[in-house]
Structure formats: C-alpha cells, structure tokens
Amino acid sequence: MTSTRSRPASRQSRQSRTSLLSDLLGALPHLRPQLYFKSSLVALSHAIEDQVLQGQGSPWVFANFQKERYYRQEARRYRRISAVAQDVFVLATPETDFAQTELPYHTIPLDPADPLAQEWHLIVIDVSYTTCLVCRERAQIKRSQSWGGSDMDTARQFDGVWSFDRLTTTQAALALLPKILSYRPDLTPRIEPIRQHLEGSPADSTSQLNPGPFTERLITYLQAGQYKLQRTYRTIQAQERKEHLINRISSAIRQSLDPGDILAIAVQELGQVAAVGRCLVYRYDGQAPEARIEQEYRTLTMGSLKGSLWPIQINPFLREAIQLGQPVCCEDSESDQRLQGSPELWQSAKIHAWVAMPILYQGRLLGILELHHEQPHRWQSATLELAEAIANQVGVALLQAEAYQHLGELNQQLEALDQAKSELIAVTGHELRTPLSTIQVCLESLASDPDMPLEMRQEMLNTALQDASRLRELVQDFLTLSKLESGRIRWHIEPLSAQECVDLALSNIKARRRHEALPAIEQVLPKRLPMVSADGEWLVEVLRKLLDNACKFTPASGQIWIRVEVVEAAAGSVGMVKFTVADSGRGIEPDRLQAIFERFYQAEGSLRRSVGGTGLGLAICRLIIEAMGGRIWAESAGLNQGSAFHFTLPMVHPQTQGKLSIAA
C-alpha cells in the first residue's frame, strides 16, 4: 500500500467538520462518556492492538493518535498489524512528510483545525468481534502551542467511550468513513466494501472475543504505565528536593559575602540532605601541598577534621580529581587501587567511601568538596548530581566574595590615592610657597632700593639663589620619581668602588651645606672591599639623599656614621655589599619604619614641619635600589634615639668583573 498527498479541502467542508465523539453520542444518546487519562488510553490501545496481532480473523483497523510523532514511535507495530489486517487507516496531524511516506497502511493527514486532531480513536472491525475507543481531549487543558516533548504527558485528560458492542463500533466506523473520504477521495474503492459490510451486519450479533487474554494484557500495560508514572514522580521529587536545596543555599549565600559563611552554609545543608558521614568544603587553589579544614559536617560516629591540615598533593585520589577537573568516586577504600599505597590517608579519618569534587569556575580551581562514608557505599547518581550543583553554586559565590574583597581593596587603594593627592597638594603648596615668597621679597627689595648697601644686596642675592636651588630640587624630585615609576630610566650597571661612591656623596653634601654647621661624619669602611654592581650616578644619589636626611634631622652636636660591609651569601646565591647611613638624631617611631618609604610621607604634618622636604627622597631611594637588584630598610629604637638606613647591592666577584656589560 502507498499513501498519496491529500487534496486541499474546501472551506465549506472545513466548516462542516465535526467531532467523531459528538457524532457517536448524537447517534447513540444512551452512551455516557467516561474520563480517561493519557496513560489509560495508551494501555487500552496497546491491549486492543495486541488482540489484533493475536487474533484469528482479518479485521479493518482505524487509528487516530493526534500527533504524527506518536504513531511514528509505533511504526514497527503498525507494520505488523498491517500484515494481519485487511486494511489499516491511520489519521494524524502531519509534521514532516507524513502524506508522502511509503507505508503498508493508508495515511490520512488531518487539518490541524479539524476536531479530529483533538481526538484519540482506535476502531477494530472483524467478522467475529468488534471494539472501539473514541475519545476527545478536554478543552480546559488544551494548550495553545504544540506539546512538543510533552505529548506523552500522562496527566492529560480525555472524555470518551470504550466498547466491545458491535452497534457502538459500527456507528463509530460509519461516522468516521466519510471524514476519511473528505481527505482521501482516492480511498473510495477501499472504503466502500467496509461501508457495505457495516450496513449489512446484524446489530445484535454477539462478540466472540475472549476477554481473559485481553484483560491480562490490559492489566500488564496499566501496571507498566503505573511503574513509569511512579518512576517519573520519584524523579520529579528528587529534582524538586535538589532545586529546593540549591535555592535554600543560594538564598543563604546571598545574605553573606564572607567565604567562611558561604562554606559553612554549603557544608551543613549538603551533608544533611545527602545523608553522608562527613562533608568537607574548603578553599584550595592547587598550589599548596595541603589545605586547612575550616568547615565540616559530620555525624557523631565520624571524627572531626576541622582545624587540621588536610594533605592534598600526596593524596593520589584528590590529585586525580584536580587534574581531571571532575568528580572522582571511591566505593571501598580498601580495594581502591589509588589508595592502596597510602592507607594512612583514609584509615585514621574512617573514610571507607569517598567522593572528591573540584569546585571550579571557568576552569579556575577555587576549592574542593568531599563526601565521606565510614562504610563501603555505592554512590547514587542523584547524590553526585546534587553535590555537583552545590559545588557550582559555591564556586560562583566564592568568586563573588573574592570580587567583593578585591573591590574593598580597590576602595582602600583609591582612598590611599586620594590621601596621597591631598598630601601632594599640601606638600607642594607649602614647599613652593615658602621659597617663592622669599625670592619675591628679595627681588622686590633689590628693585625698590637701588641704594641698598653692597653687603645687604649680596645677602639678598644669596638667599634668592638658595631658595631657587631648593625649588629646582623639588621639581627634580618629581621628575625623577615619575621616570622611575614609569620605567623610563636607562640603567648603566658596572663594577664600582664603594669607597669612591661614598667620597663623592660626602663631597656633594659638604658643598651644598657649606654654610651650615654639620654633625661629625665618620666613615667605617674596611680596607679591602669588593666592587659592587650598580649605576654609579644613581648610587651616589641614594647616598647623598640618605646623608642629607641624616644632616637634616641630626643637630650639629650629633654624630653620623657611614658603614660598608660584605654580607655573607647563602649557598648558590649572589653575595651582597651592605651600606649603612646611621645617625644619633631625631629617630623614627618603630611602627612607622615601613611607611617612611612611601611617597609624600612626613614624620610631622605636612603644614607644621620643622624641616623642609617633599617626602619623596626615601621613595626615590627605594625605587633606585630595587631597580639595581638590592633591598633598602630602616631601623630605629624610637624617637630621639637615632636611626639607621641600610641598603644592599650585588657584589662583583673578581673573576666576573671583566664580564659585566652595560645594561639598559
């Protein structure tokens, strides 16, 4: 048999189409429709079809299953039915190539607007028996769009008639035949013999159908449907429980951005719902050999791991989970090959069944989730899916908490930057205003009094020149700091004599402060010092600034020391030469020893300092020393107890002095 494309139906025929159930109830008013669920219709249809396949006769079969998809799932079954039946007619709303498909039965593609498209029919007519199932889906649950993947939904409801009565079956078939011909007039030669048989058959003939096998098949199908329904309900319940737990944890997590709170909530909720002996959730980035367990859930029979250092790098089970980036399971630790060589990893913690699940976000490892049982245990897929869902939630929450923490740090940096800006304005304003005022007064005095004595005129000029030099140094410090921070300095590293650099720095200080009474300066340098690897110009600048600071904060009656010594190097490391500039002056409070190397730092307020300066000198020294491969720090016992500034630079060994090249 082959199917052909149906002819387009006229508008009049579309308007006159009626429901088969309505026609049947109109012809037989005594019939009372019953309520059927989708699962019941499936069971009844299969039982009737089995009766055809097992019967002795050669019946006519009419089937309408609403959607092409349904009978396509039963295509093999209807091929078998076609082999034992005289003729088979299948009606459905077409979806693809239903009307053109080569099949051993007749296909009737329905207009989606036809009431038949909302009905379910199965009519079997044989000489010895008849049966019919005519149902229509209830309008109140009719959906406005295609059922799609839900068209097998067992909760759908139908009103209809199921009967073995020949009169009922005959009336149903006679009402259906003209509906088939309205779509497929070419089937008239096939339909006419059926109509004649139905009109000529006695209405009161008894059915010879044996109800026993039919009933058994029906019960079997109903039980199978019930089992599927229960399994579906269990799946839905498990999914609801999973979603409820995830929502509960998500809601709790949203109330806190503290990582500790997030892990505490996740571990308690998951441990209770999963019914495990112990649940661990801890942060881990894959670098450290171990992680500290800060949160756990456990039963009374499981020992506590909270607060302990949990080994990870030496644990092959945990390493495998991290490397694979997915959960790994162990149902019996004693027989698991990954744990055979290290029983101490699980025996002391009473872990006889284990799940390790990395907490990832976009491939980044944020932590690990573990589930433990103290007895061998077969892990259920539902438990693993739940744990994976919680791990995903925790991963997102930890990343949000980290982002919030970074935001807080950024705010602190912005506040510090704002404070630095304020300090810059205050320091710059003060340092610029004072010398500019002095220069202006001197110049105005010279301009307004041409008869000023020569000695006074020279004093005015010297004062103006000194303050102009002070302004130049201020601007130079700003330019130097900018170049150092932006990396625009070209370094010329070469072997240098420490003694020569110290002498140059001392000469510079004495020349600049020749009009001042300086403290006594003592050099403590060994006779034989190795060469240092440094840029000579910048090394002298560091020494000059440190000596200038010592002179500034030490009274003339005080003492300044310059020391240079060799620092013993550890095996395999480069030796260092240590420079020290110490004084007996004002000193530094111990809690400020780190802050003094920050930009614009002043031991006194920016507007009430007793000495000048921008607070840039030590910041410049730090950048220079670190760029040349050294380190700088300060020491002081406290205020008025003097201070010492130390820095180190790489030492040049005699055999490598000739190999040093100028570096940019």
Side-chain angles (χ1 to χ4, degrees):
M1 300 178 188
T2 61
S3 60
T4 61
R5 183 182 294 274
S6 62
R7 299 176 182 175
S10 66
R11 180 177 299 179
Q12 181 178 3
S13 61
R14 291 181 183 178
Q15 293 176 347
S16 61
R17 287 171 181 165
T18 57
S19 161
L20 180 60
L21 180 62
S22 299
D23 294 345
L24 181 60
L25 295 177
L28 301 174
H30 65 280
L31 294 177
R32 293 291 180 268
Q34 302 294 323
L35 171 65
Y36 296 92
F37 288 97
K38 175 73 177 290
S39 57
S40 302
L41 293 186
V42 173
L44 281 170
S45 298
H46 282 172
I48 294 172
E49 291 162 358
D50 282 354
Q51 188 66 38
V52 173
L53 292 171
Q54 300 296 326
Q56 300 298 321
S58 181
W60 288 288
V61 178
F62 303 86
N64 173 18
F65 296 120
Q66 291 190 308
K67 293 291 182 184
E68 178 186 356
R69 178 180 178 184
Y70 178 82
Y71 75 80
R72 279 192 179 280
Q73 295 173 342
E74 304 291 332
R76 184 178 300 177
R77 187 177 185 84
Y78 269 82
R79 288 180 183 274
R80 293 170 52 205
I81 291 174
S82 298
V84 299
Q86 288 192 54
D87 250 335
V88 177
F89 303 86
V90 177
L91 298 83
T93 304
E95 293 180 352
T96 53
D97 56 351
F98 168 60
Q100 289 76 39
T101 306
E102 297 291 333
L103 293 170
Y105 45 83
H106 305 292
T107 58
I108 298 89
L110 299 176
D111 185 339
D114 194 321
L116 291 178
Q118 303 300 323
E119 296 192 320
W120 183 302
H121 311 145
L122 183 55
I123 301 173
V124 178
I125 299 171
D126 189 65
V127 175
S128 59
Y129 73 94
T130 62
T131 185
C132 70
L133 177 61
V134 179
C135 295
R136 178 174 59 206
E137 189 166 3
R138 287 195 168 185
Q140 59 265 31
I141 64 168
K142 176 183 174 182
R143 300 191 179 184
S144 58
Q145 57 184 2
S146 172
W147 284 85
S150 302
D151 60 348
M152 299 295 290
D153 184 5
T154 56
R156 292 162 62 188
Q157 298 179 6
F158 295 76
D159 291 312
V161 174
W162 166 45
S163 176
F164 288 104
D165 178 64
R166 183 172 291 275
L167 175 61
T168 302
T169 305
T170 298
Q171 288 296 329
L174 288 173
L176 182 60
L177 294 180
K179 299 179 184 295
I180 293 175
L181 290 176
S182 69
Y183 286 99
R184 295 285 303 275
D186 58 297
L187 293 179
T188 300
R190 296 282 187 176
I191 295 295
E192 186 60 25
I194 302 174
R195 186 184 61 78
Q196 293 177 2
H197 171 78
L198 293 173
E199 291 178 347
S201 61
D204 57 350
S205 59
T206 58
S207 174
Q208 300 177 17
L209 177 66
N210 182 1
F214 175 84
T215 303
E216 292 176 0
R217 283 190 292 271
L218 177 59
I219 292 173
T220 299
Y221 284 121
L222 287 173
Q223 288 177 338
Q226 186 67 21
Y227 171 75
K228 291 179 181 178
L229 187 61
Q230 290 177 349
R231 186 175 60 185
T232 301
Y233 285 157
R234 284 196 298 268
T235 302
I236 293 174
Q237 289 174 350
Q239 183 66 24
E240 287 181 347
R241 184 182 65 175
K242 172 183 172 182
E243 292 179 356
H244 177 67
L245 176 61
I246 293 174
N247 291 337
R248 197 166 65 205
I249 291 179
S250 300
S251 176
I253 286 174
R254 281 194 295 269
Q255 297 176 10
S256 174
L257 286 172
D258 180 79
D261 293 343
I262 293 171
L263 299 183
I265 294 167
V267 76
Q268 292 297 324
E269 296 288 349
L270 178 59
Q272 293 177 15
V273 174
V276 294
R278 184 190 291 118
C279 177
L280 304 178
V281 182
Y282 51 89
R283 303 189 72 176
Y284 184 67
D285 60 3
Q287 303 299 321
E290 53 195 13
R292 186 170 297 279
I293 306 300
E294 296 180 355
Q295 303 294 340
E296 75 170 349
Y297 165 85
R298 66 183 181 90
T299 59
L300 295 177
T301 57
M302 296 287 283
S304 175
L305 299 177
K306 188 172 182 179
S308 64
L309 289 175
W310 193 234
I312 297 178
Q313 296 293 352
I314 64 172
N315 190 321
F317 185 74
L318 297 179
R319 282 205 318 271
E320 180 179 340
I322 294 172
Q323 292 169 0
L324 295 177
Q326 61 186 24
V328 295
C329 301
C330 165
E331 296 182 346
D332 188 352
S333 300
E334 291 186 357
S335 60
D336 194 294
Q337 294 298 322
R338 294 164 294 194
L339 299 171
Q340 286 299 299
S342 306
E344 69 279 359
L345 295 176
W346 55 273
Q347 285 181 347
S348 59
K350 298 182 179 180
I351 307 173
H352 289 271
W354 204 340
V355 170
M357 186 172 300
I359 300 174
L360 303 170
Y361 186 83
Q362 295 182 349
R364 177 187 169 192
L365 180 64
L366 300 174
I368 299 177
L369 182 152
E370 296 185 33
L371 302 178
H372 302 163
H373 266 297
E374 57 183 329
Q375 298 295 333
H377 178 78
R378 182 176 295 277
W379 297 101
Q380 301 297 320
S381 59
T383 301
L384 298 180
E385 290 174 2
L386 177 61
E388 187 171 8
I390 298 305
N392 292 336
Q393 288 289 323
V394 171
V396 173
L398 287 178
L399 201 69
Q400 290 176 343
E402 184 179 283
Y404 182 77
Q405 184 177 0
H406 289 168
L407 181 61
E409 294 173 355
L410 180 59
N411 286 334
Q412 292 178 357
Q413 293 174 5
L414 290 175
E415 290 176 1
L417 184 61
D418 187 65
Q419 180 65 26
K421 180 191 71 173
S422 300
E423 288 290 330
L424 172 62
I425 294 172
V427 169
T428 305
H430 179 80
E431 292 297 323
L432 289 176
R433 183 178 64 249
T434 302
L436 281 175
S437 298
T438 304
I439 293 172
Q440 183 178 7
V441 169
C442 290
L443 293 178
E444 287 177 351
S445 298
L446 289 171
S448 62
D449 189 1
D451 298 328
M452 182 181 295
L454 182 60
E455 295 81 5
M456 181 66 71
R457 182 184 299 270
Q458 188 62 46
E459 184 68 25
M460 290 288 182
L461 287 174
N462 289 340
T463 302
L465 287 173
Q466 288 177 4
D467 281 351
S469 176
R470 181 178 170 185
L471 283 176
R472 185 188 62 80
E473 289 185 7
L474 172 63
V475 173
Q476 185 60 45
D477 278 350
F478 277 110
L479 293 175
T480 300
L481 183 66
S482 174
K483 288 181 180 180
L484 288 168
E485 290 186 334
S486 62
R488 291 185 285 117
I489 298 292
R490 292 184 61 85
W491 300 96
H492 300 278
I493 307 298
E494 57 185 344
L496 298 172
S497 166
Q499 179 69 64
E500 291 181 5
C501 293
V502 171
D503 290 343
L504 287 172
L506 280 172
S507 298
N508 184 285
I509 288 296
K510 291 177 180 179
R512 292 178 67 252
R513 293 181 175 267
R514 61 181 179 274
H515 300 295
E516 301 176 19
L518 296 178
I521 301 177
E522 179 183 350
Q523 296 186 49
V524 183
L525 277 72
K527 292 184 178 181
R528 292 185 178 181
L529 273 175
M531 307 285 274
V532 295
S533 176
D535 185 308
E537 180 182 351
W538 290 107
L539 175 54
V540 172
E541 179 69 11
V542 170
L543 289 169
R544 186 189 68 78
K545 286 186 177 296
L546 293 179
L547 285 169
D548 192 56
N549 263 0
C551 292
K552 187 187 302 183
F553 294 102
T554 304
S557 59
Q559 183 79 23
I560 295 175
W561 297 270
I562 303 175
R563 299 188 183 93
V564 181
E565 56 190 312
V566 176
V567 179
E568 294 295 332
S573 61
V574 178
M576 306 296 283
V577 175
K578 177 182 174 184
F579 294 77
T580 301
V581 176
D583 61 67
S584 60
R586 180 180 300 180
I588 306 168
E589 294 179 6
D591 59 343
R592 297 188 178 185
L593 289 173
Q594 295 298 324
I596 61 176
F597 291 98
E598 299 298 327
R599 293 175 299 173
F600 310 119
Y601 176 82
Q602 292 286 349
E604 304 175 53
S606 59
L607 298 180
R608 55 182 181 87
R609 299 191 309 274
S610 59
V611 295
T614 61
L616 296 178
L618 292 178
I620 291 174
C621 291
R622 176 176 59 83
L623 292 173
I624 293 172
I625 294 300
E626 290 177 353
M628 294 193 297
R631 184 173 71 91
I632 187 169
W633 69 99
E635 294 178 348
S636 177
L639 292 178
N640 301 317
Q641 299 187 54
S643 58
F645 288 83
H646 312 277
F647 66 88
T648 58
L649 288 173
M651 178 175 62
V652 179
H653 292 281
Q655 62 270 27
T656 62
Q657 288 185 17
K659 300 180 182 179
L660 276 176
S661 60
I662 295 177

